[in-house]
Amino acid sequence: MALLSVNGLKVDFTTRNGVTHAVDDVSFSVEKGEITAIIGESGSGKSVACYSLLGLLPMPPASIEGGSAEFEGRDLLRMSEAELRQVRGRDIAMIFQDPMTCLNPYMTIGNQLVEPLLCHRRISREEARQRAIELLDEVGLRDPQTTIDQYPHQFSGGMRQRVMIAMALINEPKLLIADEPTTALDVTIQAQILRLLADLQKRRDVGVIFISHDLAVVADIADSIVVMEQGRVVERGDRQAIFERAEHPYTRKLLAAIPGGSKAPSASTGEDLVQVRNLCTWFSQGKHHESVKAVDDVSFGIRRGEILGLVGESGSGKSTIGRSLLRLVPVTSGEVLFDGVDVTALEGKALKQMRRRMQMIFQDPYASLNPRMTVFDTLAEPLLLHGIESRKSVEQGVLKLMDDVGLARAFIRKYPHEFSGGQRQRIAIGRALATRPEFVIADEPVSALDVTIQAQILELMLALGQEYGLTMLFVSHDLAVVRHIADRIIVLYKGRIVEEGLAEQLFEHPKEDYTRQLLESIPGRQLL
Amino acid sequence: MNEPILAVGSVEQGTSLWKDAWIRLRRNRLALFGLVLLVSFVILALLTPWIAPYAYDDQNLDLGASPPSAAHWLGTDIFGRDLLTQILYGGRISLAVGFVATSVALLIGVTWGAVAGYVGGRVDAVMMRLVDILYALPFMIFIVLLMVVFGRNLLLLFLAIGAVEWLTMARIMRGQVQTLRQQEFVEAAISLGLSPVTIIWRHLVPNALGPIIVYTTLTIPSVMLLEAFLSFLGLGVQPPQTSWGLLISYGAETMEEYPWLLIFPGMALTLTLFALNFLGDGLRDALDVRGSTD
């Protein structure tokens, strides 16, 4: 018998604009000792379905309209709040997406770990602490005897996620719900966490629901896969069936969205548009500390018309390089030659002129647009500033940009919050292209987006790159994405260049161990 | 997710943040009521010399304090002066103090805070230490000094109060700007080549308006009361000129015998405060584009 079997679950959201069927007749089951993956884009109802099982949805606006969820012979949906509290944390535990916000910054991790133990079991504080230490050891935290008394900010993101996992496991739950547990993490860390989850699940024989927007992530670990679209289950099956014989067009679309292969080499001519020589960007930590060498003696060139991929984990200095080129952070030493002119020495008018020729697309489309400016204002600003359009013709210019980036003209007076993440990124791309730049730095432009949207935006960038004749620096932690878009790739580690080469070459024949390690971390790499 | 490309031509007509805010404000009954009330007070204050039933220094010592009657709608004070006239003339002073001093505070505070928060580093440290020093300075001494040096002057009084009230405004603004400055849209603005002044006024100030507006609506009444306090000490308006604050403080002295001397000026002030609060809340919501649109 299945550990959990959900039948005909229906969840509605009632808002001022009417009723939304967030989850509509969804059924799935989770077996003991198996990983069931629920896959779908944001808004597909995958998280809502799982949260409703544990009574974690705010009601109202949410309401459960029907269905049942049998867990060990009892229906979760018909339990009282008090009964549910007994189940939550003891029999069913959750791991959330963002390990940064899910731990209380004012409590040591030890105290946070023993809390659920003390709450659900008769156990002394000393015993609880002992259990916590064992568990931290099991999830791979080094030296748990001492780290147990540290605060969350003293851990890296990956380590925090391990702590979260330990916290979820401490009461030996029978079912674990993991909601995008690796989305906020680097590829290498993601690979470690995935391996850890798969390991723990086998060893402890628990059932796992793994929620993700990315099929590739679950390609190595899931036993069965449920694909959701707009509140409904469109396809289900075991892993092989989904990856090899997917039938539903939506599943195929998801599979196709996994970035794979590499593009045809672009028409880059020989000369370098950008030359970076011995670039150092150090951040001072006050007088008594050594500076953080975010970028340490990096030299490279970017040919005209080329897309250069810059790859590394967080802390590798990849974003700082991009920001240094645009003078958004002060450069410590070195030169950045743009078309023969040293950008680091420019001031005033000359700098403004140069900025017109180099633009940036930012990572987070939710933060990179001024929330109080309409699409028109956002796009008109650079056009007017650089005298590309006059006051009279600016509307035409804005509409042209919107056409180029694939935004409906009717949206011109809308504000950023009225758009989805992908549409916002289109606005941001339009803004960067408004000044008719020759060189664009894209700083993780798709990492905040769902895979299907990610694929659309990448296509758009490639097409616009051609149309506008752009040279591009594409910064990302995601190797699969970079391979898809870049001609050449530079691998960074701790502020230094580890390896540099043509995209295909680097993937097929990596020279350095670190590159190899990165390549092995790509989820579902056998799909590529 | 589908991103529909609609047909060309269906472009809505031009709006800006302020036009949108006005449209939203008009839909908020309470805020509109506040606005109408305030505007009518201002109009009354402007027209006072022509509509006041008596001259402001008309005394009638024989009459003395009398309750509301046909000749004196709101009664008279102990010198037999018409209370309605007094309230109308007092409103001129009080509203002027409230708006002028608050505008001064707003202008200095927002600019100061925005610059400090945006530039950061040493400039910020120096600018904010100056604010701290001014905070620590007993403001009574400051105003007494100003009065002694420049003589008693109504405009100077307005400016002096404003010059004291901007400190908190600057701190709020700086805090707001510091958080906003971290956001990528500011970096995007820098890399577009916008000047710092444009970035501050176009990108930072509009995003910080919410708390600023709320604090402004709190500042106006506190400024009015401050004026009353100063006048009471003999530093502000002097009889026969008057203000709501002064009327209230005199009214409070004779509250038991002549309650109308406290009630009517008090009502004038309270109504103004209500109107301000409704309008302030309405403005804050109206300026937040994330609120209900279209």
Side-chain angles (χ1 to χ4, degrees):
Chain A
M1 197 191 85
L3 178 64
L4 169 76
S5 69
V6 176
N7 269 307
L9 179 64
K10 280 186 181 177
V11 181
D12 281 0
F13 277 86
T14 312
T15 61
R16 257 180 310 171
N17 301 329
V19 177
T20 322
H21 306 293
V23 176
D24 196 2
D25 195 15
V26 164
S27 309
F28 62 91
S29 62
V30 184
E31 301 292 330
K32 212 172 154 199
E34 274 195 8
I35 297 184
T36 300
I38 302 183
I39 304 293
E41 292 170 42
S42 19
S44 63
K46 57 192 194 302
S47 296
V48 172
C50 294
Y51 284 42
S52 66
L53 301 181
L54 289 180
L56 290 175
L57 288 179
M59 302 202 203
S63 57
I64 294 174
E65 294 296 319
S68 64
E70 298 270 327
F71 177 73
E72 299 192 304
R74 295 200 295 163
D75 188 351
L76 289 172
L77 302 182
R78 279 170 191 76
M79 280 187 190
S80 69
E81 174 59 28
E83 287 173 296
L84 264 180
R85 245 195 325 264
Q86 285 303 307
V87 173
R88 277 203 296 257
R90 197 186 63 189
D91 297 327
I92 304 180
M94 281 208 67
I95 303 171
F96 296 92
Q97 172 170 1
D98 194 350
M100 310 285 166
T101 53
C102 289
L103 290 168
N104 182 339
Y106 287 98
M107 276 170 86
T108 63
I109 58 159
N111 283 336
Q112 295 185 58
L113 272 168
V114 298
E115 210 172 31
L117 262 187
L118 296 174
C119 150
H120 286 291
R121 277 166 219 269
R122 291 162 184 279
I123 185 171
S124 77
R125 210 154 237 291
E126 215 19 69
E127 281 173 282
R129 191 181 152 87
Q130 208 44 52
R131 285 267 315 121
I133 291 176
E134 285 166 28
L135 207 60
L136 285 177
D137 191 41
E138 192 177 343
V139 296
L141 226 65
R142 254 164 281 146
D143 199 10
Q145 293 281 359
T146 43
T147 46
I148 191 170
D149 291 318
Q150 292 183 339
Y151 289 89
H153 73 268
Q154 293 170 289
F155 295 88
S156 66
M159 285 301 149
R160 268 183 255 198
Q161 196 56 291
R162 285 170 195 262
V163 173
M164 285 293 298
I165 293 173
M167 211 181 257
L169 290 175
I170 197 150
N171 267 315
E172 296 176 3
K174 298 170 185 118
L175 178 67
L176 200 59
I177 301 177
D179 187 6
E180 305 253 9
T182 62
T183 308
L185 305 173
D186 273 334
V187 256
T188 43
I189 312 294
Q190 166 169 297
Q192 291 168 17
I193 296 289
L194 288 176
R195 215 170 304 137
L196 174 71
L197 268 177
D199 252 26
L200 287 170
Q201 171 260 339
K202 290 231 165 52
R203 203 175 328 147
R204 290 168 169 265
D205 205 25
V206 293
V208 176
I209 300 178
F210 193 106
I211 304 172
S212 177
H213 70 275
D214 190 352
L215 263 173
V217 169
V218 299
D220 301 323
I221 59 165
D223 294 295
S224 64
I225 295 176
V226 177
V227 180
M228 282 183 70
E229 184 194 17
Q230 291 177 7
R232 292 168 172 279
V233 173
V234 294
E235 188 156 11
R236 78 185 77 228
D238 61 22
R239 178 174 46 175
Q240 269 198 322
I242 293 287
F243 279 103
E244 286 162 19
R245 300 182 296 276
E247 276 164 13
H248 195 277
Y250 182 70
T251 316
R252 292 204 184 150
K253 187 175 152 202
L254 281 178
L255 282 169
I258 299 173
S262 43
K263 60 162 205 149
S266 62
S268 55
T269 51
E271 76 181 295
D272 280 347
L273 178 66
V274 181
Q275 275 184 318
V276 179
R277 289 187 191 151
N278 308 99
L279 180 72
C280 292
T281 305
W282 297 353
F283 295 111
S284 157
Q285 298 266 78
K287 286 194 181 103
H288 307 291
H289 297 274
E290 215 178 309
S291 308
V292 176
K293 300 181 176 176
V295 179
D296 195 12
D297 195 16
V298 166
S299 305
F300 61 89
I302 308 172
R303 278 191 282 277
R304 217 178 261 280
E306 174 184 58
I307 299 179
L308 178 69
L310 204 54
V311 176
E313 297 169 71
S314 34
S316 64
K318 58 186 191 304
S319 289
T320 311
I321 289 183
R323 288 183 153 77
S324 302
L325 299 193
L326 272 183
R327 295 275 306 275
L328 289 174
V329 292
V331 170
T332 311
S333 67
E335 285 182 332
V336 176
L337 296 180
F338 180 82
D339 209 6
V341 182
D342 187 1
V343 176
T344 60
L346 292 178
E347 282 307 328
K349 234 193 179 106
L351 181 62
K352 184 180 159 189
Q353 281 309 314
M354 188 58 78
R355 279 189 165 144
R356 173 180 171 175
R357 301 173 64 188
M358 322 167 61
Q359 280 299 309
M360 183 141 173
I361 299 166
F362 293 87
Q363 169 173 11
D364 185 354
Y366 292 87
S368 68
L369 298 173
N370 185 339
R372 309 231 169 186
M373 280 166 76
T374 59
V375 177
F376 176 80
D377 291 335
T378 301
L379 295 181
E381 188 170 52
L383 291 174
L384 292 171
L385 178 75
H386 291 287
I388 295 165
E389 301 282 354
S390 67
R391 285 240 158 246
K392 266 192 205 143
S393 64
V394 71
E395 180 143 334
Q396 282 312 310
V398 169
L399 290 175
K400 162 89 171 53
L401 277 174
M402 291 178 74
D403 291 346
D404 281 357
V405 297
L407 272 175
R409 289 184 163 201
F411 293 158
I412 189 165
R413 306 287 168 193
K414 295 216 180 285
Y415 289 95
H417 71 275
E418 298 170 81
F419 292 100
S420 68
Q423 288 169 325
R424 286 182 204 214
Q425 202 58 298
R426 285 174 195 264
I427 303 173
I429 291 172
R431 176 179 56 191
L433 294 181
T435 65
R436 307 285 141 74
E438 294 151 62
F439 177 49
V440 167
I441 298 167
D443 186 7
E444 305 255 15
V446 295
S447 57
L449 306 174
D450 276 343
V451 261
T452 44
I453 309 294
Q454 191 171 322
Q456 290 172 16
I457 295 289
L458 286 177
E459 287 319 310
L460 176 73
M461 289 181 68
L462 276 174
L464 289 174
Q466 289 276 323
E467 190 185 328
Y468 282 72
L470 292 177
T471 308
M472 228 186 285
L473 180 67
F474 192 97
V475 179
S476 178
H477 71 275
D478 191 337
L479 271 162
V481 167
V482 171
R483 181 192 197 186
H484 184 68
I485 196 168
D487 302 306
R488 262 186 330 130
I489 295 177
I490 288 177
V491 180
L492 280 175
Y493 183 65
K494 291 195 174 159
R496 290 173 169 273
I497 292 181
V498 176
E499 191 170 350
E500 185 176 351
L502 291 173
E504 220 32 60
Q505 217 168 32
L506 193 114
F507 265 79
E508 300 302 331
H509 313 286
K511 291 194 200 83
E512 301 293 325
D513 285 343
Y514 180 70
T515 314
R516 223 162 284 142
Q517 196 188 325
L518 273 183
L519 290 175
E520 276 160 22
S521 312
I522 301 177
R525 62 192 168 283
Q526 74 276 15
L527 299 172
L528 297 181
Chain B
M1 187 160 296
N2 294 320
E3 294 175 281
I5 316 281
L6 297 185
V8 186
S10 55
V11 176
E12 297 165 45
Q13 237 343 281
T15 53
S16 70
L17 178 65
W18 297 101
K19 274 190 209 150
D20 282 356
W22 173 235
I23 291 169
R24 273 192 291 268
L25 189 67
R26 271 197 312 209
R27 249 179 267 131
N28 184 338
R29 289 253 176 91
L30 217 50
L32 213 56
F33 168 69
L35 184 67
V36 169
L37 207 61
L38 270 185
V39 170
S40 38
F41 278 176
V42 170
I43 292 173
L44 280 180
L46 290 175
L47 295 180
T48 296
W50 294 279
I51 59 168
Y54 298 86
Y56 69 94
D57 49 0
D58 250 4
Q59 295 193 356
N60 185 347
L61 291 171
D62 299 336
L63 184 63
S66 67
S69 62
H72 300 280
W73 291 356
L74 302 183
T76 57
D77 72 358
I78 46 172
F79 300 111
R81 289 178 298 198
D82 179 56
L83 190 58
L84 178 61
T85 310
Q86 300 256 317
I87 290 178
L88 284 170
Y89 274 100
R92 278 163 78 85
I93 304 275
S94 284
L95 290 173
V97 170
F99 289 119
V100 173
T102 305
S103 312
V104 171
L106 203 61
L107 197 71
I108 307 180
V110 166
T111 316
W112 193 274
V115 170
Y118 182 74
V119 179
R122 210 157 285 176
V123 177
D124 175 43
V126 172
M127 287 176 87
M128 292 324 281
R129 286 310 76 70
L130 199 74
V131 169
D132 293 344
I133 291 169
L134 287 177
Y135 251 121
L137 211 69
F139 106 101
M140 282 311 300
I141 294 182
F142 176 66
I143 290 191
V144 171
L145 268 177
L146 277 177
M147 294 292 151
V148 170
V149 176
F150 294 104
R152 212 167 51 214
N153 172 324
L154 217 50
L155 189 69
L156 190 65
L157 180 75
F158 293 175
L159 293 180
I161 295 178
V164 171
E165 289 286 329
W166 67 269
L167 298 169
T168 314
M169 201 79 89
R171 283 193 173 171
I172 295 177
M173 190 64 198
R174 171 177 174 264
Q176 290 285 316
V177 168
Q178 275 185 327
T179 7
L180 290 169
R181 204 200 173 313
Q182 311 285 332
Q183 302 221 5
E184 284 178 344
F185 72 83
V186 177
E187 285 196 314
I190 296 174
S191 53
L192 283 180
L194 292 176
S195 69
V197 177
T198 321
I199 292 176
I200 289 176
W201 285 109
R202 267 183 73 91
H203 291 270
L204 295 176
V205 172
N207 280 293
L209 277 179
I212 291 294
I213 285 173
V214 172
Y215 187 70
T216 304
T217 53
L218 295 176
T219 304
I220 295 178
S222 85
V223 161
M224 289 181 180
L225 295 175
L226 205 61
E227 176 273 329
F229 175 59
L230 287 172
S231 301
F232 194 66
L233 291 182
L235 290 169
V237 218
Q238 289 306 303
Q241 284 196 323
T242 191
S243 70
W244 288 348
L246 264 185
L247 286 174
I248 289 172
S249 62
Y250 288 138
E253 284 173 28
T254 55
M255 184 168 66
E256 284 166 25
E257 293 147 278
Y258 318 119
W260 61 90
L261 289 184
L262 177 62
I263 292 172
F264 292 118
M267 265 171 59
L269 186 65
T270 315
L271 273 177
T272 313
L273 302 197
F274 268 128
L276 273 171
N277 276 322
F278 292 151
L279 182 63
D281 277 0
L283 266 179
R284 188 198 50 201
D285 295 344
L287 282 167
D288 187 358
V289 293
R290 272 158 290 201
S292 61
T293 25
D294 64 16

